[in-house]
Amino acid sequence: MKTTHSQELFRRAKELIPGGVNSPARSWGSVGGNPLFITRGAGSRIWDADDNEFIDYVCSWGPMILGHAHPDVVSAVSAAAEKGTSYGAPTEGEVRLAELVVDSVPSIEIVRFVNSGTEATMSALRLARAFTGRSKILKFDGGYHGHGDALLVKAGSGLATAGVPTSAGIHAGLAADTIVLPYNDTEALEKAFAAHPGEIAAVIVEPIAGNMGVVPPQPGYLGAMREITERDGALLIFDEVISGFRVGLDGAQGMFKITPDLTCLGKIVGGGLPVGAYGGREGVMAMVAPLGPMYQAGTLSGNPLAMAAGIATLEQLREPGIYDRLERLGALLEAGLTEVFADTEVPMTINRVGSLLTVFFSPGPVRDMADASAGDHEAFGRWFHGLLEGGIYIAPSDYEAWFVSIAHTEADIEQTVSAAKAALESV
Ligand SMILES: *Cc1c(COP(=O)(O)O)cnc(C)c1O
């Protein structure tokens, strides 16, 4: 595969942008090689600067659930752009997108739009602290909630002790207020609340973990979490930035029938433009400025182009049969990949929920970050490059999900499975 244009662009980028990228995962740090610079996308396909064509399972890390350049989204954004791109005043698009969100997700009565998933989680935590008057927060090892300071924290040495920053530059006091527990461990959660009664403002969780690879909640786990937080008076925040509108219109909370206090959205809700959102019941959201004392704002929040893309996307997703189709395609991909690996000695586990899946190079099961870490990451890296040669573009890490879109076809899945088989020869 010829990649001279991408190589030249990366060389120029590295002189100007840290590591040549505006988000670290794009640098292919864990698989090696020169990241591809993408020039266009259509449906399930993307093309790089050397005009190589790929079936895309990154889908912008989740937002492109309709595929690239969906005609409804393109025309909605173009029509909005012709009327001006930002006014810093309220617009009808914000009302319309809010209606679509509130109508889709029953636990959200009131919603505030922001510009990214990071802003959504940062704001939801501030709101939880404002509402409860408590300062500690609790998150899970391998859970990713954007790059807010309080959340760039991993587990310390003992159970339910202060967290340790995963980034330089995090205020130690802030990290000390973040408790980090293993995911899918109800007993650890019970113990943490027993150790810090009445001190934890909120538990923030990806109800279907998507950033340690896809790891679904064990049966009863989210229900126990709801029960424990409610008993203590802590808020339960579902970070549905990936799972929202991905596993159904009502997200993971609809799938598992759990009502969180607050929900964070991002990715799909903006249809490929920068949008995040946080929302919940009226009594909690009444704390948000200008109604209440919790300040949060944004010059470009509710941007007309972004709202137009979100509206067009959510309206498409309300068409009947969409989620059945995503489930069918996901199941087909899982079955094909399982068969390909079954013919080899390579240990492999697939975790899948609908159109989200991860291939772990380990015998499994994968239930938490420790299990996800146990895989053979080097073998994955070789497979990644083999897939690329076969025209398949997946995330450059086995701690990430594959995203199937409604633009993917059965033929795309078949082509992917045969490329996966060929790529296993390089593993
Ligand atoms: C992507 C992601 C975020 C952060 O969203 P950004 O728009 O990248 O800031 C937060 N939470 C989860 C679960 C995510 O996957």
Side-chain angles (χ1 to χ4, degrees):
M1 185 170 63
K2 182 174 143 293
T3 60
T4 45
H5 286 94
S6 282
Q7 288 178 38
E8 172 58 12
L9 284 167
F10 195 41
R11 188 193 61 71
R12 279 167 57 200
K14 281 189 289 191
E15 286 171 6
L16 302 164
I17 301 167
V21 292
N22 284 307
S23 196
R26 297 179 197 169
S27 73
W28 291 15
S30 59
V31 292
N34 192 101
L36 300 179
F37 280 63
I38 305 304
T39 48
R40 67 196 163 96
S44 63
R45 309 280 166 143
I46 52 171
W47 287 264
D48 71 7
D50 295 277
D51 220 24
N52 298 303
E53 177 178 332
F54 303 92
I55 300 175
D56 178 23
Y57 292 97
V58 177
C59 286
S60 187
W61 306 80
M64 312 317 299
I65 194 168
L66 304 183
H68 295 282
H70 188 284
D72 287 10
V73 177
V74 173
S75 64
V77 171
S78 315
E82 278 178 9
K83 298 186 216 153
T85 53
S86 184
Y87 324 111
T91 58
E92 184 175 351
E94 293 159 85
V95 184
R96 181 68 193 130
L97 189 59
E99 283 168 351
L100 287 167
V101 169
V102 167
D103 189 58
S104 303
V105 188
S107 74
I108 302 182
E109 293 171 358
I110 304 283
V111 62
R112 168 61 61 82
F113 291 114
V114 292
N115 303 295
S116 67
T118 296
E119 278 186 61
T121 60
M122 278 168 34
S123 308
L125 287 182
R126 185 182 303 147
L127 175 56
R129 285 175 162 142
F131 184 78
T132 60
R134 303 172 177 185
S135 45
K136 289 193 187 300
I137 57 160
L138 194 156
K139 64 159 286 205
F140 299 94
D141 192 20
Y144 178 68
H145 308 287
H147 64 87
D149 283 359
L151 292 161
L152 289 180
V153 172
K154 65 174 183 203
S157 49
L159 185 63
T161 55
V164 180
T166 54
S167 161
I170 306 293
H171 190 282
L174 205 52
D177 268 339
T178 304
I179 299 166
V180 186
L181 299 181
Y183 183 68
N184 267 329
D185 184 341
T186 304
E187 200 183 314
L189 194 60
E190 292 275 13
K191 282 190 182 152
F193 273 91
H196 301 284
E199 291 175 37
I200 298 167
V203 171
I204 184 164
V205 64
E206 291 177 72
I208 297 166
N211 287 290
M212 53 179 112
V214 174
V215 180
Q218 296 291 109
Y221 179 57
L222 296 175
M225 190 181 292
R226 176 66 283 186
E227 213 260 317
I228 294 165
T229 46
E230 194 156 3
R231 200 195 315 146
D232 184 80
L235 296 190
L236 178 58
I237 304 173
F238 271 10
D239 179 350
E240 298 227 44
V241 170
I242 286 181
S243 56
F245 302 106
R246 169 58 65 178
V247 299
L249 285 176
D250 50 1
Q253 55 194 272
M255 174 172 271
F256 298 108
K257 311 231 170 332
I258 306 289
T259 306
D261 298 292
L262 291 173
T263 300
C264 299
L265 297 170
K267 301 197 167 114
I268 292 173
V269 75
L273 271 78
V275 182
Y278 65 102
R281 63 174 191 273
E282 207 168 340
V284 180
M285 292 301 289
M287 298 290 292
V288 179
L291 272 186
M294 193 221 65
Y295 188 71
Q296 182 273 307
T299 300
L300 292 174
S301 291
N303 173 265
L305 268 59
M307 296 296 105
I311 294 163
T313 299
L314 297 199
E315 278 177 348
Q316 266 299 309
L317 292 176
R318 290 162 81 88
E319 294 291 321
I322 294 280
Y323 290 98
D324 292 341
R325 174 173 170 75
L326 288 168
E327 165 61 29
R328 220 171 35 249
L329 291 169
L332 202 61
L333 182 57
E334 178 184 5
L337 292 173
T338 304
E339 202 178 306
V340 160
F341 278 76
D343 291 340
T344 72
E345 303 282 284
V346 184
M348 178 274 240
T349 303
I350 294 186
N351 281 355
R352 180 180 72 85
V353 182
S355 55
L356 289 173
L357 68 80
T358 297
V359 178
F360 297 96
F361 278 64
S362 81
V366 180
R367 289 161 304 197
D368 60 16
M369 186 59 176
D371 292 343
S373 305
D376 184 344
H377 308 296
E378 268 152 33
F380 171 84
R382 292 189 293 273
W383 192 56
F384 167 87
H385 284 289
L387 281 171
L388 213 56
E389 290 291 333
I392 310 299
Y393 186 83
I394 67 169
S397 162
D398 49 348
Y399 293 109
E400 305 288 353
W402 299 41
F403 297 95
V404 180
S405 77
I406 61 158
H408 285 82
T409 61
E410 278 80 357
D412 286 338
I413 305 288
E414 270 170 41
Q415 191 181 329
T416 304
V417 170
S418 45
K421 190 176 168 83
L424 270 174
E425 273 154 38
S426 46
V427 171

